[in-house]
Amino acid sequence: MGSIAIPRLYEALREATDAADAEVDAHFHTVLRNVDISTEPISSSLLILRRAAREAAIKRIRVTAALQNLLHTQHNMGTISRPSLVTYRSEKIKAIAEGVAMDTIIYSTEPESIVLRMELNQQTPINRIPAELIGMIFEECVLSLWDNLVDLSKTHSLADSGSKARLVTPVRISHVCSHWRYAALGNGNLWSRFYQCWPQDVVSAFLQRSQSSLLEIVTLAEERKGYQDGVKEITPFLSKHMSALKRIVVRQGYVHHHSIRPAFFNQFNAIWEHRAPTLRHVHLSSAGHPPEVPDIGLSLFRNFPNLETIYLEAFRLPNLGDLPALNSLTSLTLRLVVGESDSLSLRDLHTLLTRTPNLEYLALWDLRYEMNVSEDQWPKTSVDLLRCRDVYLDLANFVSLIPFFSTLTFPKVDNFTVKHSSAVEPLFSLYQSIPSYLCDIVLKSASLFIEGRPGNIIAGPVAKYIVKDDHDRAGVKNTISFQGTNPIPSIGKVAAVRQDMPPVIASVVMHLPLGHITHLGFEDLASAPVAQWKTALYAFDAVTHSEVFRMIKKTTTNLCKALGDPKCLPKLRRFDIDFNGFNAKDLSKAFSSRNMKEPLHSLYIFDLDQFHMHRSTEPMRQISSVCAATCYTNRLGLEEF
């Protein structure tokens, strides 16, 4: 801080406040010499006066320090001469000595007062953070709004809340104070992400402020603009900035006429002939639907071998035999993508993934695979994606898992989700053919969460296994999820599912490996008779922690009756429930009737948001203290509530 360093300023502030306290005390002892100042209302008046004296002393010291350091203040923009500052400083130091109010000096309309306020601003703790660190904080604030590429591709217009937030956040940061403004304007990364469809003056301002930072541009081709006009606007703009691009997101809006859907990208693909040595991330989404999808061509892969992320939605891949090695690619998402024919063969997938040895994330959504492929047409060898840690597979009902998993292996996967819809096979039965390395991970898991989602054909039941990290009590090592879109077995297959359990749980028990489950969760399951719940819970005799969320009270009433049987979850020590789904008396009655050697130790009650998949961040509703004491703590003998 120039002539007065921060430690010296703090020392001066302490000395000034101590002196202010001493002066106030001396004044009171002089004026009220024979009065007990510890009694009311004198003690309150003393406290108020002491606080006011401290604030005045602190402000006087800070302003004096700022005036002494005035000539060293940065960012005075050279608009005020040094002699003017020297004169201003002398006058204000004299005014302070004469007792002029501090606010009169600070908020004066004189130009030099602006520099004074800048220097006062430099004394605040937040502005003593190094410029590099505060720049990183600003970047994280902005980057959090751009992280999700899928959401990012759905928000385009300035009126959209997501797009608007991405525009105004760096602007708002720069408007907090002059110090933050200089820090923000000096950080090009803060302005390097923008929508090409924002107003032209806004885009120009972001480009100017980005300085030499690599650009991340989102653009949209909308039907209302006309496709020829869209190409004329978008293609030249991106071509002009290709040399500075780091990420490009292009999304084609809805097209009413199917025949012209591929037209935009068939012309847009010409930009891949331009050099872009810094381009690392490409997210392209057309409005087509197989088989009417545009060709992506080879140029994207051939001319940009250093790409790290590729997201393709609704495109036709080129001849994959001509595909170069993509050694830098770590993330690949294919959605509604077809090969040279109107489908994608396992050989195509095999050929593509042999070019991506360093893949860490793979997502295959809604792909059209060739049907009725004989075993002699399977690839002769498998692709071992040794670095792939996150895998999401959404498979159609005519894809056989045996050839699929014979073609692709993920031996070191951490998070694996497979969704396989079938209108023929009973729920989860198709997963009996999962490869041994996935079975090994599942058998190590101690946590199993079963989500029913009754009546939801699109997002069907899920069985999620979680393996905890032995070296981190709160950490997760592996997550394996199996999902199906057929919640009820077809009529011809009813006999294949046990009738003595709720159907979803029965299918898990019959068709998926269980291992040693000690943590069991149920969510959004349909109602079932008490006898079915009992049989299901008998199968999990090692469970010590159970969670039950998002179920109607009709369902949980029968569940509570089942839990009243000591043979159901006999080792249960902790129970987590949804406040909205349980009747307190049902729960109390269930656990009061369990005469076990290991009684319930902990009861956790959550109030879940009814419309979201995660626990609500809103304040919880109160539970009556009488209800809590009578129904829970008094009867159950809980140690943790």
Side-chain angles (χ1 to χ4, degrees), residues 467-542:
V467 181
K468 295 289 185 179
D469 190 341
D470 295 336
H471 303 291
D472 182 359
R473 292 185 64 184
V476 173
K477 186 177 181 181
N478 302 98
T479 300
I480 309 293
S481 299
F482 302 99
Q483 181 175 353
T485 56
N486 181 22
I488 302 174
S490 59
I491 296 175
K493 297 289 183 177
V494 169
V497 177
R498 294 175 57 166
Q499 300 299 301
D500 58 347
M501 291 185 185
V504 175
I505 302 176
S507 192
V508 171
V509 172
M510 289 182 65
H511 304 304
L512 294 176
L514 287 181
H516 187 71
I517 301 299
T518 59
H519 184 187
L520 178 66
F522 296 128
E523 184 169 325
D524 201 13
L525 290 175
S527 181
V530 176
Q532 287 192 358
W533 275 114
K534 284 187 177 182
T535 308
L537 298 179
Y538 289 162
F540 300 96
D541 57 358

Side-chain angles (χ1 to χ4, degrees), residues 313-375:
E313 181 177 354
F315 283 96
R316 189 181 306 278
L317 296 174
N319 182 354
L320 296 175
D322 299 329
L323 204 66
L326 301 171
N327 294 324
S328 298
L329 195 67
T330 58
S331 175
L332 175 63
T333 301
L334 301 179
R335 187 171 191 176
L336 293 171
V337 169
V338 298
E340 289 187 296
S341 62
D342 292 338
S343 60
L344 195 67
S345 69
L346 288 176
R347 287 185 180 275
D348 291 336
L349 206 55
H350 181 277
T351 303
L352 173 62
L353 295 178
T354 54
R355 271 48 170 200
T356 59
N358 298 313
L359 212 57
E360 297 175 4
Y361 173 85
L362 175 65
L364 304 177
W365 291 5
D366 303 324
L367 300 187
R368 288 188 166 210
Y369 298 95
E370 287 185 358
M371 299 178 63
N372 303 320
V373 178
S374 60
E375 188 170 344

Side-chain angles (χ1 to χ4, degrees), residues 317-579:
L317 296 174
N319 182 354
L320 296 175
D322 299 329
L323 204 66
L326 301 171
N327 294 324
S328 298
L329 195 67
T330 58
S331 175
L332 175 63
T333 301
L334 301 179
R335 187 171 191 176
L336 293 171
V337 169
V338 298
E340 289 187 296
S341 62
D342 292 338
S343 60
L344 195 67
S345 69
L346 288 176
R347 287 185 180 275
D348 291 336
L349 206 55
H350 181 277
T351 303
L352 173 62
L353 295 178
T354 54
R355 271 48 170 200
T356 59
N358 298 313
L359 212 57
E360 297 175 4
Y361 173 85
L362 175 65
L364 304 177
W365 291 5
D366 303 324
L367 300 187
R368 288 188 166 210
Y369 298 95
E370 287 185 358
M371 299 178 63
N372 303 320
V373 178
S374 60
E375 188 170 344
D376 60 349
Q377 292 178 294
W378 297 358
K380 302 304 179 185
T381 59
S382 64
V383 180
D384 299 324
L385 297 174
L386 300 177
R387 294 174 178 261
C388 203
R389 300 288 185 177
D390 294 276
V391 179
Y392 179 87
L393 304 176
D394 188 346
L395 305 176
N397 59 7
F398 45 79
V399 176
S400 174
L401 290 181
I402 296 176
F404 191 89
F405 284 121
S406 298
T407 302
L408 306 178
T409 64
F410 317 97
K412 297 184 179 180
V413 68
D414 288 334
N415 301 299
F416 182 91
T417 299
V418 56
K419 177 182 177 182
H420 198 305
S421 59
S422 175
V424 180
E425 299 294 334
L427 181 63
F428 297 131
S429 63
L430 292 163
Y431 299 127
Q432 288 178 311
S433 57
I434 61 173
S436 59
Y437 67 89
L438 287 179
C439 281
D440 291 341
I441 295 175
V442 169
L443 290 172
K444 292 177 183 176
S445 63
S447 301
L448 170 61
F449 297 89
I450 302 174
E451 188 172 345
R453 300 175 179 175
N456 192 332
I457 303 300
I458 297 175
V462 176
K464 179 191 292 185
Y465 295 83
I466 295 178
V467 181
K468 295 289 185 179
D469 190 341
D470 295 336
H471 303 291
D472 182 359
R473 292 185 64 184
V476 173
K477 186 177 181 181
N478 302 98
T479 300
I480 309 293
S481 299
F482 302 99
Q483 181 175 353
T485 56
N486 181 22
I488 302 174
S490 59
I491 296 175
K493 297 289 183 177
V494 169
V497 177
R498 294 175 57 166
Q499 300 299 301
D500 58 347
M501 291 185 185
V504 175
I505 302 176
S507 192
V508 171
V509 172
M510 289 182 65
H511 304 304
L512 294 176
L514 287 181
H516 187 71
I517 301 299
T518 59
H519 184 187
L520 178 66
F522 296 128
E523 184 169 325
D524 201 13
L525 290 175
S527 181
V530 176
Q532 287 192 358
W533 275 114
K534 284 187 177 182
T535 308
L537 298 179
Y538 289 162
F540 300 96
D541 57 358
V543 169
T544 59
H545 178 191
S546 182
E547 301 180 18
V548 180
F549 295 130
R550 303 190 194 286
M551 290 209 240
I552 61 175
K553 290 184 179 179
K554 180 181 178 181
T555 303
T556 59
T557 295
N558 285 347
L559 174 61
C560 286
K561 290 179 180 178
L563 285 171
D565 184 346
K567 296 178 183 178
C568 294
L569 309 184
K571 296 182 179 180
L572 186 64
R573 298 283 283 161
R574 171 176 166 177
F575 197 42
D576 297 4
I577 65 170
D578 178 1
F579 173 68

Side-chain angles (χ1 to χ4, degrees), residues 146 188-194 203-218 237-238 240-249 278-281:
W146 294 84
N189 290 334
L190 207 61
W191 312 92
S192 62
R193 304 170 186 88
F194 56 86
V203 173
S204 298
F206 270 66
L207 279 170
Q208 182 180 1
R209 294 178 180 184
S210 67
Q211 302 166 29
S212 59
S213 299
L214 299 180
L215 303 177
E216 302 184 30
I217 301 177
V218 182
F237 179 85
L238 293 176
K240 179 181 178 182
H241 300 288
M242 284 292 282
S243 60
L245 273 182
K246 177 183 179 182
R247 183 190 305 271
I248 181 172
V249 179
T278 58
L279 186 62
R280 295 293 180 269
H281 311 282

Side-chain angles (χ1 to χ4, degrees), residues 57 71-72 76 116 120 122 175 183 198 212 221 246 286 314 371 401 403-404 408 453 535 564 592 611:
L71 300 180
H72 304 282
N76 63 31
L116 174 64
L120 285 171
Q122 292 290 327
H175 285 184
W198 282 348
S212 59
K246 177 183 179 182
S286 83
M371 299 178 63
L401 290 181
F404 191 89
L408 306 178
R453 300 175 179 175
T535 308
S592 297
F611 304 102

Side-chain angles (χ1 to χ4, degrees), residues 127-183:
N127 288 334
R128 294 200 306 278
I129 296 176
E132 296 80 7
L133 184 55
I134 200 168
M136 291 170 63
I137 294 172
F138 291 167
E139 285 184 49
E140 284 298 316
C141 180
V142 172
L143 190 59
S144 63
L145 299 170
W146 294 84
D147 277 344
N148 194 323
L149 276 177
V150 176
D151 286 347
L152 178 129
S153 65
K154 293 179 181 176
T155 51
H156 316 291
S157 66
L158 186 59
D160 178 87
S161 59
S163 171
K164 188 173 182 179
R166 296 179 183 116
L167 186 155
V168 302
T169 298
V171 176
R172 284 176 175 168
I173 288 173
S174 69
H175 285 184
V176 171
C177 64
S178 60
H179 178 71
W180 280 25
R181 181 165 182 79
Y182 286 112

